[in-house]
């Protein structure tokens, strides 16, 4: 099956700086790559996603890039704010159902 | 619309017991999937149900089972509990169940003593 690796496991940045989280996947058949944000004690929520026919997608301060050849995708957060502090999970999926393979998460801390 | 509802919120069981967790998806959503979340392991896929049929299954032992009812509500059962089953169990729903946004519930925190 698919294997998703995520780095780093923890990340601290100063408010206003950028944060980058990277994920690699193993199965070239994967074609959908969402990112979820989980604040402490809360449920995961989708923040952005990208499909294999697109190389980059942006939504305000958040962007995701996908390199199918290298089988990796990254989350970029610019102008970080304290409310961006959370655990971020990347995921990959390749079948017609909702079977997602998640990374182990990155705990992001934005220091005011 | 009401969000995904999971009950109970917390459970404490002892080894060898069995447990049933419940999940009510967002109205109109037909796909319900279950994930186990543990510190350091992230979210691991258990299974997915769509229109009362199990469509996908993860690499968990047969002690983990589930079902979906005609109203799309889903239950997950774990028999012969082990200490390692202690985790947050999340269910997620989506409308069509095909590489789309998941809406997660708040989870059931299971502790096995």
């Amino acid at each position: 099956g698919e294997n998703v690796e995520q780095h780093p496991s923890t990340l601290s940045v100063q408010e206003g700086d950028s944060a980058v989280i990277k994920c690699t996947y193993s199965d070239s058949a994967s074609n959908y790559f969402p990112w979820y944000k989980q604040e402490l004690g809360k449920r995961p929520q989708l923040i952005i996603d990208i499909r294999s026919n697109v190389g980059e997608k942006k939504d305000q301060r958040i962007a995701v890039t996908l390199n199918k050849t290298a089988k990796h995708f990254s989350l970029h957060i610019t102008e970080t704010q304290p409310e961006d502090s959370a655990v971020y999970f990347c995921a990959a999926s390749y079948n017609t159902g909702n079977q997602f393979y998640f990374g182990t998460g990155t705990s992001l801390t934005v220091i005011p | 619309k009401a969000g995904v509802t999971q009950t109970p919120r917390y459970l404490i069981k002892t080894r060898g017991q069995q447990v049933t967790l419940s999940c009510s998806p967002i109205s109109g959503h037909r796909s319900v999937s279950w994930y186990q979340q543990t510190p350091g392991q992230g979210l691991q896929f258990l299974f997915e149900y769509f229109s009362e049929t199990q469509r996908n299954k993860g690499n968990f032992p047969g002690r983990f089972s589930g079902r979906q009812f005609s109203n799309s509500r889903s239950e997950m059962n774990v028999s012969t509990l082990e200490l390692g089953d202690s985790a947050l169990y999340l269910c997620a729903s989506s409308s069509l169940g095909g590489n789309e946004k998941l809406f997660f519930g708040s989870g059931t925190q299971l502790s096995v003593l």
Side-chain angles (χ1 to χ4, degrees), chain A residues 5-18:
Chain A
E5 294 190 357
Q6 183 172 349
H7 300 281
S9 57
T10 60
L11 179 61
S12 292
V13 299
Q14 292 289 332
E15 182 177 358
D17 287 350
S18 296

Side-chain angles (χ1 to χ4, degrees), chain B residues 56-105:
Chain B
N56 291 293
K57 189 176 189 302
N59 295 323
F60 278 81
R63 300 185 297 106
F64 292 82
S65 63
R67 59 178 176 169
Q68 186 180 34
F69 302 96
S70 58
N71 61 357
S72 291
R73 188 177 71 86
S74 178
E75 288 183 346
M76 188 189 94
N77 186 76
V78 187
S79 62
T80 319
L81 285 166
E82 301 177 0
L83 295 178
D85 296 334
S86 295
L88 179 67
Y89 291 88
L90 293 163
C91 86
S93 75
S94 68
S95 56
L96 297 176
N99 282 356
E100 58 178 355
K101 177 179 179 179
L102 297 179
F103 292 84
F104 282 91

Side-chain angles (χ1 to χ4, degrees), chain A residues 61-81:
Chain A
R61 297 185 296 108
I62 295 173
V64 57
T65 58
L66 171 65
N67 183 325
K68 288 189 293 183
T69 303
K71 294 185 199 165
H72 68 69
F73 56 113
S74 301
L75 177 71
H76 304 254
I77 305 174
T78 59
E79 301 173 18
T80 53
Q81 301 169 3

Side-chain angles (χ1 to χ4, degrees), chain A residues 1 29-32 34 36 38 41-47 49 51 87 89 92-105, chain B residues 3-4 9 31 33 35 37 40-45 48 55-58 88 90 93-94 96-106:
Chain A
S30 289
N31 55 15
Y32 177 60
Y36 285 83
Q38 187 175 29
K42 297 191 175 181
R43 66 192 75 189
Q45 291 191 306
L46 180 75
I47 56 171
D49 56 10
R51 298 187 186 273
V87 178
F89 292 97
S93 178
Y94 59 79
N95 60 17
T96 56
N98 277 336
Q99 181 170 1
F100 289 90
Y101 297 87
F102 281 84
T104 50
Chain B
V4 178
R9 187 69 181 89
S31 168
S33 49
Y35 289 84
Q37 184 175 21
Q41 290 290 320
L43 285 76
Q44 294 186 290
F45 175 78
E48 182 216 2
R55 187 160 62 174
N56 291 293
K57 189 176 189 302
L88 179 67
L90 293 163
S93 75
S94 68
L96 297 176
N99 282 356
E100 58 178 355
K101 177 179 179 179
L102 297 179
F103 292 84
F104 282 91
S106 295

Side-chain angles (χ1 to χ4, degrees), chain B residues 11 13-21 63 77-81 110:
Chain B
L11 267 177
K13 294 286 186 179
T14 56
R15 282 180 299 173
Q17 287 187 310
Q18 74 167 24
V19 66
T20 300
L21 283 54
R63 300 185 297 106
N77 186 76
V78 187
S79 62
T80 319
L81 285 166
L110 173 65

